[in-house]
């Protein structure tokens, strides 16, 4: 586990974004942990989060021209990451969509820079891949090219329903379907490493291990 990945898990726990306990996911699974990116909700924390996104993107070596953040959470993520990239000497344009088209003024659904060149989609998590599918469609419709997806946490769990689980995770399916990399700041492996490093978290470690056994990709 790289230092940045470890730091990100610790940061997410410290800010209350990553919690351990009992949670229901979008797919209806009972998860022993949950990552609520909506709780990165003050200026200092958002600034730190953006540093993680920006550094992970630069470290990935992916070639990109601009960022796209799907509404709503992706809007702040793409904007803040553009600020962090500029501070690192890589000024980068960004755009995002409206969930409902505006029928007055400038109109339309895309706000910000015109979609052009190689576009990185920035979001918090991928569950079923709906947000990425819609983003890819908007980027292609504008004549631009999706270059990668950048997310905060890859849960590394198989899609589908109990009894008929897909062999692939939603992240792997997105990557295969669109032929682009999905880069995550951290993943379930890193989260598990964090739990394993602290004996007082043994109970959560066991719960996460059992969940991973049931739903994790191999
Ligand atoms: O892979 P998916 O099944 O699309 O799930 C992931 C998406 O769901 C959440 O956003 P949501 O659509 O709830 O919108 P929000 O950003 O307005 O909360 C999340 O922020 C991702 O964008
Ligand atoms: O699968 C989900 O619904 C989900 C899991 C998670 O950890 N965080 C999140 O925002 N959604």
């Amino acid at each position: 586990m790289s230092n940045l990945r470890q730091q990100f898990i610790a940061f997410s726990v410290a800010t209350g974004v990553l919690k351990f306990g009992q949670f229901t996911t979008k797919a209806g699974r009972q998860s022993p942990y949950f990552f609520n990116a909506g709780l990165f909700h003050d200026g200092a924390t958002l600034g730190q989060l953006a540093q993680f996104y920006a550094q992970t993107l630069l470290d990935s070596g992916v070639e990109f021209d601009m960022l796209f953040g799907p509404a709503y959470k992706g809007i702040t993520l793409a904007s803040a990451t553009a600020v962090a990239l500029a501070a690192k000497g890589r000024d980068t344009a960004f755009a995002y969509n409206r969930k409902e088209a505006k029928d007055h003024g400038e109109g339309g659904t895309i706000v910000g820079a015109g979609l052009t060149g190689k576009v990185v989609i920035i979001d918090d998590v991928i569950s079923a891949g709906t947000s990425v599918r819609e983003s890819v469609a908007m980027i292609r419709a504008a004549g631009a090219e999706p270059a990668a997806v950048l997310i905060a946490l890859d849960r590394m769990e198989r899609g589908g329903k109990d009894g008929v689980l897909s062999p692939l995770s939603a992240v792997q399916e997105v990557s295969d379907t669109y032929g682009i990399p999905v880069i995550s700041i951290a993943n379930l492996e890193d989260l598990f490493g964090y739990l394993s490093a602290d004996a007082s978290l043994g109970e959560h470690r066991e719960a996460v291990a059992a969940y991973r056994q049931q739903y994790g990709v191999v």
Side-chain angles (χ1 to χ4, degrees):
M1 184 161 48
S2 83
N3 204 27
L4 195 72
R5 303 176 83 90
Q6 283 174 29
Q7 285 171 17
F8 183 66
I9 296 292
F11 166 67
S12 300
V13 171
T15 49
V17 166
L18 179 57
K19 285 199 170 68
F20 302 103
Q22 270 199 313
F23 306 90
T24 304
T25 69
K26 205 167 175 175
R29 294 176 183 170
Q30 295 306 302
S31 171
Y33 73 94
F34 200 81
F35 184 85
N36 179 4
L39 295 178
F40 288 122
H41 56 23
D42 63 76
T45 305
L46 181 62
Q48 278 178 277
L49 172 66
Q51 292 291 332
F52 282 106
Y53 273 102
Q55 195 58 53
T56 300
L57 180 56
L58 294 174
D59 290 348
S60 75
V62 159
E63 284 182 29
F64 64 95
D65 298 307
M66 64 177 292
L67 311 177
F68 178 78
Y72 290 101
K73 287 195 287 295
I75 296 174
T76 36
L77 299 176
S79 318
T81 302
V83 174
L85 284 169
K88 291 177 187 294
R90 177 76 193 264
D91 190 22
T92 304
F94 68 95
Y96 49 89
N97 66 301
R98 294 191 174 97
K99 284 202 177 184
E100 287 166 18
K102 181 169 166 176
D103 64 2
H104 61 282
E106 76 279 17
T109 54
I110 306 294
V111 187
L115 288 165
T116 182
K118 297 180 193 306
V119 184
V120 174
I121 299 163
I122 301 203
D123 212 342
D124 53 347
V125 293
I126 293 176
S127 296
T130 312
S131 169
V132 173
R133 187 180 69 241
E134 292 171 357
S135 300
V136 165
M138 287 183 267
I139 291 165
R140 286 187 178 153
E145 180 193 341
V149 183
L150 175 61
I151 56 172
L153 182 73
D154 177 1
R155 293 177 55 99
M156 295 175 72
E157 63 189 65
R158 299 164 69 182
K161 301 219 177 313
D162 287 356
V164 278
L165 289 176
S166 157
L168 299 179
S169 70
V171 161
Q172 291 168 327
E173 277 171 7
V174 160
S175 185
D176 285 4
T177 303
Y178 306 110
I180 54 175
V182 177
I183 306 151
S184 63
I185 304 174
N187 62 23
L188 178 60
E189 186 77 43
D190 304 313
L191 187 153
F192 199 66
Y194 172 86
L195 292 174
S196 302
D198 184 341
S200 71
L201 298 172
E203 185 192 332
H204 298 311
R205 180 183 184 279
E206 280 177 28
V208 171
Y211 185 81
R212 193 178 181 189
Q213 178 73 24
Q214 187 174 3
Y215 293 114
V217 281
V218 272

